[in-house]
């Protein structure tokens, strides 16, 4: 049996990045993700890597841009207000098709907000990541093990599809300690990067990393091409389902909320309600087909999230508003309780399939 | 037939898009000549700024990364940290380097990042049509200082070489001007020295080049160079402000 290591969520991300071959980390301190920087600061000098505490999140993401342009696996991490500053760089990374990994250990907002866990950057991660037409892959772990596994996967997907990938966690997952099997980190695939800036050595034409296209015709073609690629990426959409087969009430939750929801559906089942769970593992691409399929059997949906209701829009879009969707949410750094989720499930169970949630 | 003058190999055949009489062209040529003379084009990576030189990747024959406005020193840092054997230089205007990118500039220098910065100071935002720059002179008329830069409301210009010279990480900071042949030769010498410092791993090097923007200054090219000489050089004295290997 593989040996397990006891780790904080943030440390699991850092260790996975190192095992994935990331030797270039650029950060700027912010709670509740600072353990990632601290881990990198300790480890990178010992393994010939770079840990650099940048002057700002803007600088950090642009250092990632430079390192990624050089063909290296590079990462930066931050929390909500810092991620907002990275928007500029995220857009440039996507526009130049540069693989890179960005970690957002979310905290409450808006503004300076608070330092308690939150999921209120869902829109930022999946919709308004930066200016222009682009997406990044967004992965949502719900255990420390998954912080580790999905970070490995993020590096792989970023290289495979040549685009930025984000780990969207929250302050609770970042801080909690759990045993982790790190053996998967020993099996890493690498990719040829003939587009990287390493110097022509007089042997090839110059490589250019650029996102400026003054010809609208050319830029349009490039954007269409990138979205053709995104159609391929959409195939990686995935969920973890619990007791979904016969579920009449489907709870949809990601990250730490999914763990709370799992408890709640078990209790609901004991109370005679056929409740199930869909946990999106990828937030972009969103598992819309899985949601749509579930809507064929389900009577009602409950979305649990730590925001004023952001992912709920994707649930409603995915099922084309064909079923009532209730929101069970906390915000500002508060975490929903199992009891609150249970209550929402009970409420949803009383609804008839076609009834609109607004009327209750 | 004997060839007595030719285009540097580090420059491509693509005609530049710069306005007639613009000094960006001269500076490109000087950088390219230095790349040729040091025989480093094959291991050099340039960073293109946001500004008139944004598409310099069409002109230099080395690998190039285009950077977001002002972020060239951060991008250069990322590239250099991955492959320290590459020669990395950014080419930036005054808006890019001394306004939106001041933070990146100062901290790259403070870290003693072993990169070279070619800083083209033309006292105006060229690309966007002639707005006030951080280096616009007091009293200078621009689109956004139509009554002349009023230091009461718009403050004072930044002297970047002097500022950066105070930092322990700066190995070499020199200000030169492209206003006449004699000075142009000095520009080339300074650029070469800056690249040599990088090759020798001495630390952050910057060459500030006082340049003209005839189009947005509203002057003919020759008059523009005269204006540079009479107005810019007194405010931005030429010379070496730092020449000392970074000791760590
Ligand atoms: C984030 C951002 N802000 C503003 C601009 C618009 N912009 C393009 S070039 C430029 C000024 C460039 O001036 P300078 O750096 O002095 O270079 P020059 O064009 O004079 O060579 C500005 C403000 C931009 N592209 N991106
Ligand atoms: S706008 Fe000014 S700096 Fe830009 S190319 Fe024209 S003359 Fe040169």
């Amino acid at each position: 049996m593989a040996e397990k290591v006891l780790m904080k969520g943030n440390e699991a991300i850092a260790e996975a990045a190192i095992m994935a071959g990331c030797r270039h980390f650029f950060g700027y301190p912010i709670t509740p993700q600072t353990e990632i920087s601290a881990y990198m600061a300790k480890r990178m000098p010992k393994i010939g890597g770079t840990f650099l505490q940048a002057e700002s999140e803007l600088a950090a993401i642009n250092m990632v841009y430079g390192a990624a342009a050089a063909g290296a696996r590079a990462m930066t991490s931050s929390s909500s207000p810092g991620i907002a500053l990275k928007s500029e760089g995220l857009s440039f990374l996507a526009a130049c098709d540069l693989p890179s990994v960005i970690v957002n250990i979310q905290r409450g907002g808006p503004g300076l907000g608070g330092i308690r866990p939150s999921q209120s950057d869902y829109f930022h991660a999946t919709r308004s990541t930066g200016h222009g037409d682009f997406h990044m892959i967004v992965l949502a772990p719900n255990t420390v093990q998954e912080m580790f596994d999905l970070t490995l996967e993020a590096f792989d997907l970023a290289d495979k599809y040549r685009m930025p990938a984000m780990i969207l966690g929250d302050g609770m997952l970042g801080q909690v300690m759990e045993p982790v099997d790190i053996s998967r980190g020993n099996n890493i695939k690498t990719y040829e990067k003939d587009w990287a800036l390493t110097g022509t050595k007089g042997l090839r034409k110059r490589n250019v990393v650029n996102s400026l296209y003054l010809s609208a015709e050319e830029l349009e073609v490039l954007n269409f091409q990138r979205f053709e690629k995104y159609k391929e990426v959409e195939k990686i959409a995935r969920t973890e389902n619990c007791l979904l087969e016969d579920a009449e009430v489907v709870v949809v939750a990601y990250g730490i909320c999914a763990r709370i929801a799992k408890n709640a559906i078990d209790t609901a089942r004991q109370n005679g309600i056929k409740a199930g769970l869909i946990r999106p593992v990828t937030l972009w691409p969103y598992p819309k087909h899985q949601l749509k399929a579930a809507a064929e059997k389900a009577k009602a949906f409950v979305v649990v999230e730590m925001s004023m209701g952001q992912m709920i829009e994707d649930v409603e879009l995915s099922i084309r508003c064909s079923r009532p969707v209730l929101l069970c949410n906390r915000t500002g750094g508060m975490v929903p309780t199992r009891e609150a989720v249970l209550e929402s499930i009970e409420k949803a169970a009383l609804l008839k399939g076609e009834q609109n949630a607004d009327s209750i | 037939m004997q060839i007595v003058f030719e285009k540097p190999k580090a420059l491509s055949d693509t005609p530049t898009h710069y306005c007639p009489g613009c000094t960006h062209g001269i500076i490109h040529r000087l950088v390219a000549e230095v790349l040729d003379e040091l025989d480093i084009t094959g291991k050099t990576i340039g960073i293109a700024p946001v500004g008139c030189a944004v598409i310099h990747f069409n002109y230099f024959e080395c690998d190039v990364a285009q950077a977001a406005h002002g972020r060239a020193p951060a991008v250069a840092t990322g590239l250099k940290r991955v492959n320290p054997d590459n020669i990395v230089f950014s080419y930036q205007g005054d808006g890019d380097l001394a306004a939106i990118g001041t933070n990146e500039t100062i901290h790259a220098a403070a870290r003693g990042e072993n990169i070279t910065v070619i800083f083209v100071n033309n006292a105006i935002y060229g690309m966007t049509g002639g707005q006030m720059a951080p280096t616009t002179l007091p009293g200078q008329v621009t689109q956004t200082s139509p009554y002349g830069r009023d230091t009461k409301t718009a403050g004072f210009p930044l002297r970047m070489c002097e500022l950066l010279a105070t930092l322990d990480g700066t190995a070499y900071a020199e200000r030169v001007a492209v206003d006449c042949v004699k000075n142009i030769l000095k520009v080339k010498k300074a650029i070469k020295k800056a690249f040599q410092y990088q090759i020798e791993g001495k630390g952050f090097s910057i060459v500030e080049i006082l340049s003209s923007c005839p189009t947005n200054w509203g002057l003919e090219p020759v008059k523009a160079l005269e204006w540079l000489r009479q107005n810019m050089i007194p405010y931005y004295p030429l010379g070496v402000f730092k020449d000392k290997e970074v000791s760590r």
Side-chain angles (χ1 to χ4, degrees):
Chain A
M1 211 183 78
E3 204 183 319
K4 291 200 170 182
V5 189
L6 193 63
M7 281 181 164
K8 272 192 179 186
N10 284 338
E11 292 167 350
I13 288 176
E15 184 54 36
I18 289 171
M19 292 184 90
C22 169
R23 290 294 177 274
H24 299 276
F25 177 88
F26 306 95
Y28 186 85
I30 184 169
T31 308
Q33 65 75 55
T34 306
E35 291 84 2
I36 301 179
S37 276
Y39 197 90
M40 292 303 200
K42 225 178 188 171
R43 291 275 272 122
M44 283 300 192
K46 308 256 190 233
I47 54 174
T50 297
F51 162 79
L52 200 160
Q53 182 167 318
E55 57 271 31
S56 70
E57 288 86 350
L58 274 169
I61 192 84
N62 281 284
M63 289 170 188
V64 167
Y65 178 90
R73 284 192 160 174
M75 181 167 102
T76 183
S77 69
S78 190
S79 179
S80 311
I83 291 292
L85 283 181
K86 292 190 194 289
S87 293
E88 173 192 79
L90 290 170
S91 175
F92 275 71
L93 285 164
C96 296
D97 304 311
L98 290 176
S100 42
V101 174
I102 299 92
V103 180
N104 182 1
I105 303 298
Q106 301 167 87
R107 57 189 250 179
L112 201 48
I115 58 168
R116 303 289 308 278
S118 161
Q119 294 180 326
S120 53
D121 298 346
Y122 182 90
F123 281 158
H124 182 274
T126 61
R127 304 268 201 292
S128 58
T129 306
H131 65 285
D133 279 325
F134 76 94
H135 286 292
M136 63 182 173
I137 293 167
V138 184
L139 306 177
N142 85 136
T143 59
V144 177
Q145 180 68 56
E146 234 186 0
M147 298 284 244
F148 184 87
D149 293 344
L150 292 184
T151 302
L152 293 181
E153 194 171 337
F155 276 101
D156 187 71
L157 292 171
D159 273 354
K160 182 171 178 190
Y161 294 109
R162 287 190 58 183
M163 60 191 289
M166 174 176 273
I167 300 292
L168 191 67
D170 62 69
M172 187 174 273
L173 283 169
Q175 304 298 325
V176 75
M177 273 187 125
E178 285 171 353
V180 183
D181 169 6
I182 61 167
S183 59
R184 265 191 61 193
N186 297 322
N187 188 14
I188 297 300
K189 193 172 157 194
T190 54
Y191 292 79
E192 196 62 41
K193 297 181 179 178
D194 56 6
W195 45 264
L197 310 183
T198 51
T200 65
K201 301 182 179 70
L203 300 173
R204 58 159 169 79
K205 265 186 69 69
R206 65 193 157 202
N207 282 342
V208 173
V209 166
N210 167 54
S211 61
L212 178 76
Y213 296 92
L214 291 173
S215 144
E217 288 82 1
E218 202 184 343
L219 184 53
E220 184 186 43
V221 168
L222 282 167
N223 284 344
F224 270 107
Q225 279 172 357
R226 191 166 295 110
F227 273 70
E228 278 302 310
K229 171 174 85 178
Y230 290 160
K231 276 190 198 154
E232 270 306 299
V233 185
E234 287 197 21
K235 293 180 187 156
I236 69 165
R238 83 170 188 259
T239 61
E240 184 203 1
N241 303 332
C242 279
L243 308 173
L244 191 62
E245 279 301 293
D246 61 342
E248 290 177 357
V249 176
V250 174
V251 180
V252 188
Y254 70 96
I256 197 73
C257 287
R259 288 174 70 164
I260 298 159
K262 263 182 214 167
N263 275 328
I265 59 167
D266 285 343
T267 317
R269 288 259 169 186
Q270 283 161 21
N271 298 351
I273 300 171
K274 286 182 179 163
L277 171 72
I278 296 183
R279 176 175 75 88
V281 176
T282 58
L283 298 180
W284 196 90
Y286 197 72
K288 55 188 175 197
H289 300 300
Q290 290 89 324
L291 268 284
K292 198 163 168 247
E296 277 162 23
K297 288 190 207 157
K299 277 203 215 148
F301 285 74
V302 173
V303 175
V304 186
E305 52 181 328
M306 299 190 292
S307 75
M308 287 310 294
Q310 299 190 11
M311 183 179 71
I312 191 171
E313 291 193 1
D314 274 333
V315 174
E316 287 174 334
L317 272 173
S318 300
I319 66 166
R320 302 277 192 261
C321 295
S322 62
R323 295 286 178 274
V325 183
L326 303 189
L327 177 66
C328 172
N329 68 317
R330 299 298 296 268
T331 177
M334 298 302 291
V335 180
T337 59
R338 188 185 59 121
E339 289 69 28
V341 179
L342 186 60
E343 209 173 289
S344 293
I345 294 172
E346 284 164 353
K347 232 189 239 172
L350 298 175
L351 296 171
K352 297 243 164 46
E354 296 74 33
Q355 196 177 346
N356 194 307
D358 296 342
S359 62
I360 54 162
Chain B
M1 204 172 65
Q2 193 195 352
I3 296 170
V4 291
F5 188 76
E6 60 180 336
K7 182 180 70 61
K9 289 196 181 59
L11 275 190
S12 72
D13 291 330
T14 313
T16 67
H17 67 290
Y18 299 112
C19 305
C22 174
T23 41
H24 269 301
I26 300 176
I27 300 165
H28 277 32
R29 191 190 158 93
L30 297 176
V31 171
E33 283 179 3
V34 167
L35 296 182
D36 277 7
E37 285 168 25
L38 297 173
D39 194 18
I40 52 172
T41 311
K43 61 174 185 172
T44 295
I45 300 168
I47 319 286
V50 172
C52 282
V54 64
I55 51 170
H56 82 40
F57 50 78
N58 285 334
Y59 312 138
F60 290 114
E61 284 289 1
C62 57
D63 283 357
V64 175
Q66 201 294 314
H69 197 14
R71 317 287 173 236
V75 174
T77 299
L79 280 155
K80 189 75 181 182
R81 294 294 180 112
V82 173
N83 291 316
D85 290 339
N86 281 140
I87 300 301
V88 179
F89 79 94
S90 71
Y91 183 111
Q92 301 175 255
D94 40 71
D96 198 71
L97 180 138
I100 194 165
T102 321
N103 204 19
E104 285 78 5
T105 306
I106 289 179
H107 284 276
R111 286 192 301 271
E113 216 59 64
N114 191 31
I115 58 170
T116 299
V117 175
I118 306 296
F119 170 29
V120 180
N121 179 359
N122 58 12
I124 207 156
Y125 282 20
M127 193 195 204
T128 38
Q131 297 80 23
M132 186 179 72
T135 51
T136 291
L137 296 175
Q140 186 182 336
V141 172
T142 69
Q143 196 186 55
T144 49
S145 56
Y147 310 110
R149 180 175 186 157
D150 181 353
T151 53
K152 283 198 214 72
T153 53
F156 298 89
L158 265 68
R159 293 189 183 91
M160 289 307 289
C161 270
E162 287 84 334
L163 201 152
L164 294 170
T166 65
L167 303 175
D168 290 345
T170 303
Y172 175 54
E174 177 165 1
R175 185 180 293 118
V176 286
V178 279
D179 63 312
C180 63
V181 176
K182 192 174 119 234
N183 279 341
I184 286 172
L185 293 174
K186 286 189 187 160
V187 176
K188 171 146 175 214
K189 235 179 98 189
I191 293 174
K192 193 163 182 176
K193 188 164 168 180
F195 275 99
Q196 260 159 345
Y197 270 42
Q198 184 180 164
I199 292 167
E200 290 159 21
K202 286 187 172 166
F204 184 85
S205 55
I206 178 166
V207 181
E208 174 174 346
I209 305 166
L210 302 183
S211 332
S212 66
C213 174
T215 302
N216 290 306
W217 291 1
L219 294 171
E220 287 164 18
V222 176
K223 289 249 164 62
L225 294 176
E226 266 165 37
W227 189 89
L228 184 167
R229 199 155 37 240
Q230 281 162 14
N231 299 280
M232 284 182 80
I233 294 179
Y235 201 93
Y236 297 110
L238 306 183
V240 178
F241 294 88
K242 186 81 179 279
D243 188 355
K244 184 172 178 280
E245 180 171 354
V246 174
S247 67
R248 297 186 192 258

